[in-house]
Amino acid sequence: MGAILLAPHIAKADEPRAWEALRQGQAVLMLRHALAPGTGDPANFELGDCSTQRNLNDTGREQARAWKPFLAEHGITEARIFSSQWCRCMETAKGMDLGEVTEWPSLNSFFRNREDGPARTRRTVALVNDMAAGEPVILVSHQVNITALAGIFPASNEGVIIALPLSESPRILARVSPASR
C-alpha cells in the first residue's frame, strides 16, 4: 500500500508521449469501469448473474461510449481489450466498441478478498508482459486492482497509461479520461 503515497504527479505536458507509447505498444491503458453507483457488491453477488451485481447506470453507459471518440482523437481506433468478468467491467469494455473483449479473471475485483490481490496483480503483470506485439492493449478493471498495480486511486471511468514492461514499480505515463478533455 505504500505505492499510493509514492505515486508520481503526472504532468499534462507528458500526455502526448504517453499516447504515443500506447499506440506504439510500449504502454497499456488500464481503466476503472464506468460509473456503477455504490461500493462493492451486494451480499448475494454471483459472477455470472448481472442482476446480483452493481451495474452501470445510464451515465456509466454514456461514459463507456465516450472512450471510442476520445481514443480515436489520440489515434486509437482498434484495441485488444481485456476485462474483469464483473458485469460493470464487461459492459464498459463492450461499450467502448473498439474490438473483441476477452475476459481475464486476474482483472476481477479483490475488494472483498484483499489477500487475493498480490497474486492477481502478479498474474496480470505476467499476462501483459507475455503478450505479442499488436494493437494497443486496454485493461478494464476495478479501483482495487489499479491501486494495487499502479499506486493510483482512479475515479470511475478514469484510466492510467502505464509503461511496459509492467513491474512491481510501474512507470505511470498519464492519467486519462474522456471527461478530462
Side-chain angles (χ1 to χ4, degrees):
M1 287 296 186
I4 295 169
L5 302 173
L6 301 174
H9 172 72
I10 315 243
K12 267 301 208 197
D14 293 337
E15 208 172 285
R17 285 192 296 261
W19 287 110
E20 180 66 19
L22 182 61
R23 285 190 301 272
Q24 298 300 318
Q26 299 166 350
V28 297
L29 170 61
M30 185 174 197
L31 64 103
R32 183 178 178 186
H33 59 77
L35 185 62
T39 303
D41 283 293
N44 65 337
F45 171 87
E46 287 185 40
L47 186 58
D49 184 353
C50 293
S51 71
T52 67
Q53 299 181 34
R54 191 164 56 88
N55 295 295
L56 301 186
N57 62 9
D58 288 341
T59 300
R61 285 185 280 285
E62 288 175 28
Q63 289 176 337
R65 288 189 297 270
W67 279 101
K68 184 172 183 151
F70 179 63
L71 290 166
E73 287 175 15
H74 296 284
I76 299 169
T77 56
E78 294 181 64
R80 293 177 284 172
I81 304 174
F82 302 90
S83 178
S84 159
Q85 296 171 300
W86 267 234
C87 295
R88 59 187 171 268
C89 291
M90 289 297 294
E91 188 174 5
T92 298
K94 290 176 181 178
M96 296 170 77
D97 191 27
L98 292 169
E100 183 179 332
V101 177
T102 303
E103 294 180 5
W104 263 11
S106 69
L107 295 171
N108 289 353
S109 175
F110 49 85
F111 183 78
R112 285 198 175 155
N113 300 304
R114 302 288 174 138
E115 66 277 1
D116 294 345
R120 290 223 184 127
T121 301
R122 284 190 303 274
R123 180 72 179 138
T124 297
V125 166
L127 287 168
V128 169
N129 288 342
D130 287 345
M131 294 182 89
E135 296 292 335
V137 173
I138 299 173
L139 309 174
V140 181
S141 194
H142 306 266
Q143 173 271 309
V144 293
N145 301 65
I146 297 167
T147 301
L149 176 63
I152 289 175
F153 191 104
S156 292
N157 210 47
E158 181 181 19
V160 289
I161 299 176
I162 309 169
L164 292 175
L166 295 183
S167 70
E168 289 184 26
S169 300
R171 189 164 55 104
I172 309 305
L173 303 177
R175 293 177 77 155
V176 297
S177 172
S180 66
R181 296 188 292 172

